[in-house]
Amino acid sequence: MKLVFCGTPEFAVPTLEAVVKAGHEVALVVTQPDRAAGRGMEVQEPAVKKAALGLGLSVVQPEKIKNNVEFRLRLEAIQPDAILVVAYGRIIPQWMLDLPRFGNINLHGSLLPKYRGAAPIQWAVANGEVVTGVTTMRLDAGLDTGDMLLAQVVPIGQEETALDVYGCLAPVGADLMVETLRQLDCGEACLEKQNHALATLAPILTREDGWMDFSRPAKQIYDRWRGFQPWPGAHTILRGKKLIVHALCPTSYKAVPEGTLMVDGERVFVGCGPESAVELLEVQMEGKRRMSAAEFLRGYQVRSGERLGL
């Protein structure tokens, strides 16, 4: 097939590489503009751009696409059989949806109709799901509401973070996209409508999602920490300053009041609801370096009974 590929982060790279390896012609790669990122705010190229240039493909990085006449004319001149969309980060306008004969084929990081939206992998982990997966679907004007093509289930390990699951889903999704294109090309593809009554949403993450609410059960706090890696992570307040929790785990400690610290030797626990607790393994006080729980206890003379979140 002749394809246009739209994608931005590392998650999309295996799919781009797989469709090229499968012999498809990727006439154009569309990705987000270079952005300043990181502590030094250095301008960084999207992972898909780097991969595409390495494959010798043409790349464009439009700031906007809906009313971009030059961009529209270029795509219309290509006349792609399909437009592939993998974590591109832009809403696809109707003129793009209508352009290819096979439509716009999206690789979505969940088992639709569950977890529609911008952060499906993060919310699946944060909600304690034990399985997730990837789905190929034909985009329509709704939010991940289009007809499904293929899906593949992937288990979630109980200690895996969202980053780990990203790494598992990306190659599975690449293979699924290649098989989806094969079925479309030879007329074997079957479109399945989603059951909208079963839909759940996975909204874009905010900094507030990383706030640790110690009225939640310890398992839920741990799952949210796993799901919100690397951002927004997990944070609370100690002595009026922000405390970032880089590593923690549920524990069998009981009867510690919610949000209250309990020190046991070189270990530190926090009470959660109802009658559960987490152990803090690695933390970082505002403006300071990351440190182990033992270093934290020695450096700040933390005592049992201190409260977090105040």
Side-chain angles (χ1 to χ4, degrees):
M1 289 190 194
K2 181 185 283 190
L3 305 172
V4 168
F5 186 94
C6 301
T8 301
E10 188 65 38
F11 179 75
V13 170
T15 302
L16 175 61
E17 294 174 339
V19 296
V20 171
K21 185 177 180 181
H24 298 286
E25 176 192 351
V26 179
L28 186 65
V29 173
V30 184
T31 189
Q32 296 256 11
D34 300 351
R35 307 270 189 213
R39 180 168 294 180
M41 293 303 288
E42 295 181 1
V43 175
Q44 297 182 12
E45 297 178 332
V48 164
K49 177 183 178 180
K50 295 178 182 178
L53 294 177
L55 293 167
L57 303 175
S58 297
V59 177
V60 294
Q61 298 175 270
E63 188 68 52
K64 298 180 179 180
I65 61 175
K66 183 177 181 179
N67 298 312
N68 188 328
V69 176
E70 180 183 355
F71 177 64
R72 179 169 183 170
L73 290 173
R74 184 162 184 179
L75 262 60
E76 288 175 345
I78 293 171
Q79 283 297 304
D81 296 306
I83 296 174
L84 307 188
V85 182
V86 185
Y88 173 43
R90 285 273 191 272
I91 295 174
I92 304 301
Q94 191 63 45
W95 68 262
M96 278 181 69
L97 297 178
D98 296 337
L99 181 59
R101 64 189 178 108
F102 289 121
N104 285 233
I105 309 302
N106 175 233
L107 175 67
H108 187 74
S110 78
L111 298 173
L112 290 170
K114 292 191 75 173
Y115 299 109
R116 295 173 176 172
I121 297 172
Q122 294 96 320
W123 282 109
V125 177
N127 287 338
E129 301 282 2
V130 296
V131 296
T132 185
V134 283
T135 306
T136 53
M137 57 171 287
R138 180 174 285 172
L139 286 176
D140 61 14
L143 178 64
D144 301 323
T145 55
D147 293 346
M148 300 178 293
L149 287 150
L150 295 176
Q152 177 68 51
V153 175
V154 176
I156 300 177
Q158 287 304 290
E159 296 184 355
E160 287 186 318
T161 67
L163 276 174
D164 298 324
V165 179
Y166 263 98
C168 294
L169 291 184
V172 174
D175 291 342
L176 196 71
M177 182 64 83
V178 170
E179 175 60 18
T180 299
L181 293 176
R182 188 197 68 79
Q183 292 189 13
L184 285 169
D185 196 33
C186 65
E188 296 178 6
C190 294
L191 291 167
E192 178 185 353
K193 291 194 176 300
Q194 295 187 44
N195 184 344
H196 302 304
L198 300 178
T200 62
L201 296 180
I204 192 168
L205 295 173
T206 68
R207 191 175 301 277
E208 287 69 33
D209 289 317
W211 175 254
M212 301 178 75
D213 177 358
F214 293 104
S215 69
R216 299 177 187 269
K219 173 66 164 56
Q220 192 175 115
I221 290 173
Y222 175 61
D223 288 341
R224 288 174 68 90
W225 170 82
R226 291 191 304 127
F228 301 153
Q229 297 300 316
W231 190 88
H235 63 271
T236 183
I237 292 175
L238 174 64
R239 302 173 184 171
K241 293 187 176 181
K242 184 177 181 179
L243 177 70
I244 301 170
V245 179
H246 289 290
L248 77 161
C249 65
T251 177
S252 58
Y253 242 80
K254 303 290 185 184
V256 183
E258 294 175 10
T260 302
L261 292 172
M262 174 67 70
V263 177
D264 185 351
E266 293 194 331
R267 302 171 71 185
V268 57
F269 304 88
V270 185
C272 308
E275 293 191 354
S276 63
V278 293
E279 180 177 0
L280 305 184
L281 303 175
E282 188 176 0
V283 299
Q284 181 177 7
M285 285 295 288
E286 182 179 336
K288 305 297 182 180
R289 65 176 179 86
R290 293 169 64 152
M291 59 185 69
S292 67
E295 291 177 297
F296 173 59
L297 292 175
R298 288 193 298 268
Y300 289 88
Q301 290 79 51
V302 177
R303 298 287 182 265
S304 292
E306 290 197 71
R307 293 291 305 278
L308 295 179
L310 302 177

